[in-house]
Amino acid sequence: MRVYGIVGWKNAGKTGLMERLVSEITARSFTVSTVKHAHHSFDVDHAGKDSFRHRAAGASEVLLASRNRVALMQEMRGAREATLPELLQRLSPVDLVLVEGYKRDGHAKIEAHRAETGNPLIAPEDDTVKAVASDVALELDRPVFGLDDTALIADFILAEVGL
């Protein structure tokens, strides 16, 4: 499976870039799935709903299905966090999986960077970062794109993964 990552510090523009890339790449007739890493607890369910009640009662997995979508919620209940390769194995085949986060994993990535955050660049210390998408001009030893240059960034990623 072809995998490419988007990394960066908080408020660097990762999610907006991911959203634009999914739209751009799917408009080119490629199939795309995404993986998003969260550093905090999250819930896609709501208190009082049947599926929430199933989980609260102790179910390890709850599969919620309708004609429009399927959601599988798995409770970790103290188990170790799944690795990115383990999570990728759970996905149905697609042309490209875009990964937001997992900045320490070994897959190729583009770093999203906004100068106003004041955070240092990840790229100079990480050779898995193949390019940077920034809101300011940067002098680096790899390509630098404008943060909003979605089509050019998509071209770069698709070329990198051979699509």
Side-chain angles (χ1 to χ4, degrees):
M1 191 171 319
R2 294 172 175 100
V3 176
Y4 217 88
I6 306 297
V7 298
W9 302 110
K10 184 177 181 178
N11 297 321
K14 298 180 301 293
T15 302
L17 180 56
M18 284 278 292
E19 182 179 13
R20 293 189 307 276
L21 286 169
V22 170
S23 292
E24 176 72 25
I25 295 169
T26 58
R28 298 181 189 193
S29 299
F30 293 107
T31 55
V32 177
S33 290
T34 65
V35 175
K36 162 75 171 107
H37 187 258
H39 293 285
H40 49 79
S41 181
F42 67 91
D43 206 335
V44 296
D45 212 355
H46 302 285
K49 296 293 184 181
D50 294 350
S51 52
F52 184 93
R53 292 171 60 191
H54 297 178
R55 288 188 308 121
S60 296
E61 294 185 330
V62 175
L63 184 86
L64 182 60
S66 76
R67 192 170 87 157
N68 299 318
R69 73 187 48 88
V70 173
L72 176 61
M73 293 172 279
Q74 298 175 320
E75 288 295 316
M76 300 308 291
R77 305 219 188 270
R80 69 168 177 77
E81 183 176 351
T83 65
L84 179 58
E86 290 168 341
L87 295 171
L88 292 171
Q89 288 178 3
R90 298 179 187 181
L91 294 176
S92 298
V94 292
D95 296 316
L96 176 65
V97 178
L98 291 174
V99 177
E100 182 177 342
Y102 291 94
K103 68 177 153 275
R104 291 177 183 83
D105 281 54
H107 59 283
K109 308 163 188 79
I110 289 182
E111 178 178 357
H113 174 74
R114 280 200 178 112
E116 70 184 30
T117 66
N119 290 314
L121 284 168
I122 296 166
E125 306 300 321
D126 186 344
D127 62 1
T128 67
V129 175
K130 304 301 182 186
V132 175
S134 178
D135 64 348
V136 296
L138 299 170
E139 292 289 327
L140 290 174
D141 62 349
R142 60 204 84 188
V144 177
F145 300 101
L147 190 55
D148 293 322
D149 287 340
T150 308
L152 287 175
I153 296 167
D155 290 343
F156 179 81
I157 290 171
L158 293 173
E160 284 273 294
V161 299
L163 289 175

